[in-house]
Amino acid sequence: ATPARMDSPVFAMRQAEAVAEVGVRGVLGVGPPDPFIRHVPGGWYGTHWEEDEPVRRSFAYRDAIQNTVTVIKDWHGGADGRVRVGLHFPYLFGRQAAHPRIPFVYQDEHVPVMIEKADEIRDVADRYGVLIHSHAFVGSISFGLEKFGRERVNRLLGPDLVLAHCNGLTDEEVEVLGEEQVGIAVVPFTHENILYGVCPAVELLRAGANVTISTDGTAPYCSYDLLKEIPRAMWAQWTRFEDQNVLPPGKALRMVTIDAARALGLQASIGSLEVGKLADIILVDLASPHLTPDAFVPRLLAFYANGNDVETVIVNGKVLMQHGEVLTVDEGAVLEMARRQSALAYERFGISEYLEVGEGFWRTGGNSKKVAV
């Protein structure tokens, strides 16, 4: 949702249908764009391909809200509860840490609109019983305290709010998020670590926040391999404190299992192996050189395992993948469709220049001291 593709509910619907068909569990984040930070030039518009021709249509903030509610009504709790919907709003308290490509400075006249939108997001989430997902960086919570007021900030925060990144937070911001037991999605591999410093995950944990580990999606230098992010998250905190005990492997594994389930409001049914919970289980093949010897499995999983080591996946008690073979869909056909659609997208939007390998590809990119992010 930065920018939001909620000019139509169709994209979210197709995503939900895919989750349902494959058999995995998913929380689909949908919501309106930020009213001030555009992320793309010009106004809000969406392009649909109809009869092999691009048709561009503008849309308004209200359209995005209506489409979001449609998706929530149609899919929240769908596919036997495996599909849930979260309400995504890019910056609940604004983005005070300026993006290098999208500089924006809020003025006093913006504050009433920010408050109106934030209150509406909380109202919609409460009405339909969905979590809120947003982003926060240094200055966001302090801005809210100053401009929104502590009472309103407390109402917007809570255990049903998941804030991504949270890089460079001040002590005051850490304290407030901890008091309200907010869910924090630490992103160990992201350019925000360079811009604002890493997330103070240890301080947030000590303050009472529910801290989890996540990926930054595929934007565009990342993967969705969550296991890769576990050692990165630990290392970031170790270098800050010069102490490996501040975030041990056991806690890091909890941050991607039961703590993550708690952030999604699903801790009563998944996130740990307990009698009465749903059977969501992965089996990791330890018969690999990088996972040998297996003297201390939790440490191996935290430091060395990656997504390719997962050989069996069980969701809701149903085996979706066994011995590396996906059982619910034709994996080859899906990959072929993805390649075909990617090639079509490249052709339609004319990005061939970005796929060229010139002399600079194999060497440093000129004399600039700045690196584009």
Side-chain angles (χ1 to χ4, degrees):
T2 48
R5 190 67 208 260
M6 286 305 293
D7 53 296
S8 166
V10 65
F11 306 100
M13 297 291 194
R14 296 294 87 83
Q15 174 78 9
E17 290 168 5
V19 170
E21 182 177 351
V22 174
V24 293
R25 192 180 304 280
V27 179
L28 178 63
V30 293
D34 187 89
F36 298 108
I37 300 180
R38 298 291 181 170
H39 283 271
V40 292
W44 292 329
Y45 60 86
T47 300
H48 295 254
W49 285 81
E50 300 175 4
E51 298 181 357
D52 206 32
E53 292 292 333
V55 178
R56 176 180 291 189
R57 299 186 180 92
S58 62
F59 70 100
Y61 187 93
R62 183 54 43 193
D63 298 324
I65 287 287
Q66 291 174 348
N67 291 332
T68 295
V69 171
T70 296
V71 175
I72 293 173
K73 288 181 176 179
D74 287 356
W75 275 103
H76 187 56
D80 297 323
R82 288 186 291 103
V83 177
R84 298 176 68 87
V85 180
L87 179 53
H88 181 274
F89 187 64
Y91 308 111
L92 199 60
F93 302 99
R95 180 165 183 151
Q96 310 309 316
H99 193 289
R101 290 189 295 105
I102 315 161
F104 184 85
V105 178
Y106 294 92
Q107 307 299 323
D108 286 342
E109 60 264 28
H110 297 142
V111 173
V113 177
M114 297 172 71
I115 291 175
E116 174 192 344
K117 303 304 184 187
D119 282 346
E120 181 180 30
I121 291 297
R122 170 47 75 188
D123 290 340
V124 172
D126 290 348
R127 185 181 314 136
Y128 295 103
V130 298
L131 62 84
I132 301 175
H133 174 49
S134 189
H135 299 79
F137 303 98
V138 58
S140 295
I141 308 303
S142 294
F143 182 90
L145 292 171
E146 178 185 354
K147 302 295 185 178
F148 292 22
R150 181 61 186 262
E151 182 177 351
R152 176 172 271 108
V153 168
N154 287 351
R155 178 175 178 268
L156 294 171
L157 300 178
D160 63 342
L161 169 64
V162 180
L163 290 177
H165 296 288
C166 292
N167 298 74
L169 297 182
T170 65
D171 292 342
E172 176 190 44
E173 293 174 312
V174 168
E175 180 182 356
V176 171
L177 295 178
E179 288 179 358
E180 297 302 321
Q181 301 179 333
V182 173
I184 308 295
V186 173
V187 184
F189 188 50
T190 175
H191 63 263
E192 271 85 9
N193 293 332
I194 300 173
L195 297 175
Y196 319 124
V198 299
C199 172
V202 172
E203 291 92 332
L204 284 162
L205 284 168
R206 292 171 176 171
N210 179 35
V211 183
T212 70
I213 299 172
S214 69
T215 75
D216 208 12
T218 55
Y221 46 78
C222 308
S223 76
Y224 282 114
D225 191 338
L226 183 60
L227 293 176
K228 286 182 178 179
E229 304 308 314
I230 297 175
R232 289 170 174 166
M234 288 188 290
W235 183 257
Q237 302 306 313
W238 294 357
T239 55
R240 292 179 61 234
F241 286 87
E242 298 182 356
D243 182 357
Q244 295 188 13
N245 294 314
V246 294
L247 185 54
K251 176 57 178 176
L253 289 174
R254 291 180 64 87
M255 291 166 72
V256 298
T257 51
I258 187 60
D259 294 345
R262 185 176 297 108
L264 299 176
L266 299 174
Q267 69 274 18
S269 56
I270 63 173
S272 59
L273 300 179
E274 299 181 56
V275 175
K277 286 194 172 185
L278 301 175
D280 281 20
I281 304 167
I282 61 171
L283 303 183
V284 176
D285 184 4
L286 299 178
S288 301
H290 66 285
L291 296 177
T292 302
D294 58 356
F296 189 15
V297 172
R299 189 175 180 86
L300 282 178
L301 293 176
F303 286 108
Y304 301 115
N306 60 68
N308 294 323
D309 297 320
V310 178
E311 64 102 46
T312 295
V313 174
I314 304 169
V315 175
N316 250 7
K318 180 180 179 179
V319 179
L320 308 184
M321 182 176 76
Q322 189 169 25
H323 306 311
E325 179 185 356
V326 178
L327 305 179
T328 54
V329 294
D330 185 336
E331 183 178 359
V334 172
L335 293 175
E336 177 56 33
M337 179 180 64
R339 295 186 186 102
R340 185 170 63 251
Q341 291 298 321
S342 296
L344 183 60
Y346 293 164
E347 177 185 341
R348 284 172 169 174
F349 294 101
I351 65 170
S352 58
E353 63 178 296
Y354 299 103
L355 305 178
E356 296 176 358
V357 178
E359 187 69 18
F361 182 83
W362 304 107
R363 291 176 170 80
T364 57
N367 298 320
S368 174
K369 296 182 180 180
K370 294 184 178 181
V371 178
V373 292

